[in-house]
Amino acid sequence: MATNGNPNPQFPSPADAGNFLEQKGFTITTRKLPILKSGPIEDMTSRLGITPPEMIFGDNSVSVEHKASGWRISFNAFDALDRVDKTGETMLKVAYSKEWQKNREQVHEGIKEVVKPFDWSYTTDYKGTLRSNDREIVPSTKPIPLELLRRPDPILFFDEVILYEDELADNGITMYSCKIRVMPARLLLLCRFFMRLDDVIFRIRDTRLYVEFGSGEVIREYVAKEEQFETVKKKLAITREDVPALMRDPNRLSELLPVVDKSLERITL
């Protein structure tokens, strides 16, 4: 299993330069391309050692690079999936897993499968792929300054990129996506893993990257949340809102799920 920080040279492929913005010494790049075809999927399956999700955007990516220092962080589907448990130890022990297996055989028919136990919900603790040279991001207690992000600053650049998605054999959804917004003095990148397994559990794994251009300060926050399905359903029931719609809204659900893990790191470039 790859660590949160070792780049893989195979994925994403150098297929498209993507969209980019240069801002005060930083280069912000996003790339959005179609779902992988059978050949690249087979290659990714072989390298990962697990069956990929239904929708795998293997050429999509988001990156933030500081040219002067060579420090760079990027997010891509291969490295996110390489953090999925491949031992089966954290696999959800529910009946849906058999349905999922049959569904995968139909979706990727004709592709050589690697059949072995793994976390078929594709839960990942991926925090990005680092290229740091001699500069290391270190543990910190300094939080992201939310008051600065609440300022009505103009948005110079905004994009949303999906890395992978799967409907868990029509029993929920699992998705890894990234949203980035760049203002004149700072940026915020949110990369979110969201999973809803009907009648079982909700999970959210958020990685936020904050960059203050003037000082060169970078803060990375990781927050993991989860809660049992029925507990969340009961909380939503008292809102008198559209419960099925709310169950598809990770922003609203994030307010209801308790934190199970959290970390803060920082670096000044």
Side-chain angles (χ1 to χ4, degrees):
M1 179 180 289
T3 61
N4 271 306
N6 293 334
N8 184 284
Q10 304 296 327
F11 296 98
S13 68
D16 189 303
N19 301 314
F20 71 94
L21 173 71
E22 300 273 357
Q23 182 69 4
K24 297 184 178 179
F26 287 84
T27 302
I28 300 95
T29 306
T30 62
R31 189 168 70 173
K32 295 190 286 189
L33 291 169
I35 295 172
L36 288 185
K37 295 182 179 180
S38 60
I41 288 176
E42 185 170 357
D43 186 27
M44 180 175 283
T45 301
S46 176
R47 292 178 180 277
L48 284 172
I50 61 174
T51 307
E54 280 178 318
M55 291 180 281
I56 178 74
F57 298 88
D59 289 323
N60 286 6
S61 64
V62 178
S63 67
V64 176
E65 181 174 3
H66 185 252
K67 288 289 185 68
S69 67
W71 187 90
R72 181 177 187 268
I73 187 168
S74 61
F75 291 81
N76 66 82
F78 182 91
D79 290 342
L81 290 168
D82 205 27
R83 296 289 302 175
V84 171
D85 172 36
K86 301 175 186 178
T87 67
E89 292 179 1
T90 62
M91 186 167 58
L92 293 165
K93 305 293 195 263
V94 295
Y96 299 140
S97 59
K98 292 182 180 179
E99 298 176 26
W100 176 91
Q101 189 70 27
K102 292 177 182 178
N103 184 264
R104 288 284 71 66
E105 291 171 359
Q106 294 172 0
V107 170
H108 299 299
E109 186 177 357
I111 296 174
K112 185 178 180 181
E113 299 278 2
V114 177
V115 181
K116 60 189 288 189
F118 70 96
D119 180 3
W120 57 278
S121 74
Y122 299 106
T123 297
T124 180
D125 64 353
Y126 181 54
K127 303 173 188 175
T129 303
L130 288 170
R131 186 187 71 194
S132 58
N133 295 334
D134 61 340
R135 294 173 177 265
E136 298 295 332
I137 193 164
V138 297
S140 174
T141 58
K142 184 176 181 179
I144 291 174
L146 298 179
E147 69 280 0
L148 295 180
L149 293 171
R150 294 190 183 104
R151 292 180 178 180
D153 296 329
I155 296 177
L156 306 179
F157 181 88
F158 175 85
D159 210 348
E160 181 173 6
V161 178
I162 297 176
L163 299 185
Y164 65 80
E165 183 175 347
D166 194 290
E167 294 186 349
L168 304 176
D170 294 324
N171 290 293
I173 188 172
T174 189
M175 175 189 293
Y176 199 102
S177 62
C178 300
K179 288 183 181 180
I180 187 167
R181 60 184 171 106
V182 184
M183 289 73 72
R186 57 193 58 88
L187 73 77
L188 180 68
L189 168 63
L190 168 61
C191 290
R192 167 171 284 170
F193 168 81
F194 169 61
M195 189 268 284
R196 185 195 80 239
L197 182 56
D198 294 338
D199 301 321
V200 182
I201 199 170
F202 287 91
R203 282 179 180 161
I204 291 177
R205 306 283 187 266
D206 284 344
T207 297
R208 288 178 173 84
L209 186 82
Y210 172 86
V211 178
E212 186 72 24
F213 297 131
S215 64
E217 182 178 43
V218 178
I219 299 175
R220 179 169 67 174
E221 176 192 75
Y222 172 75
V223 179
K225 299 180 178 182
E226 65 180 61
E227 183 60 279
Q228 297 301 308
F229 186 92
E230 281 303 316
T231 301
V232 175
K233 187 176 180 180
K234 289 177 182 177
K235 291 180 180 179
L236 293 175
I238 64 176
T239 65
R240 296 184 180 180
E241 296 183 61
D242 185 345
V243 172
L246 293 177
M247 285 186 174
R248 297 189 296 270
D249 185 349
N251 291 324
R252 289 294 302 274
L253 291 168
S254 182
E255 301 170 2
L256 303 176
L257 307 187
V259 174
V260 295
D261 189 22
K262 184 176 182 178
S263 65
L264 281 166
E265 299 165 291
R266 69 184 295 270
I267 185 174
T268 299
L269 304 171

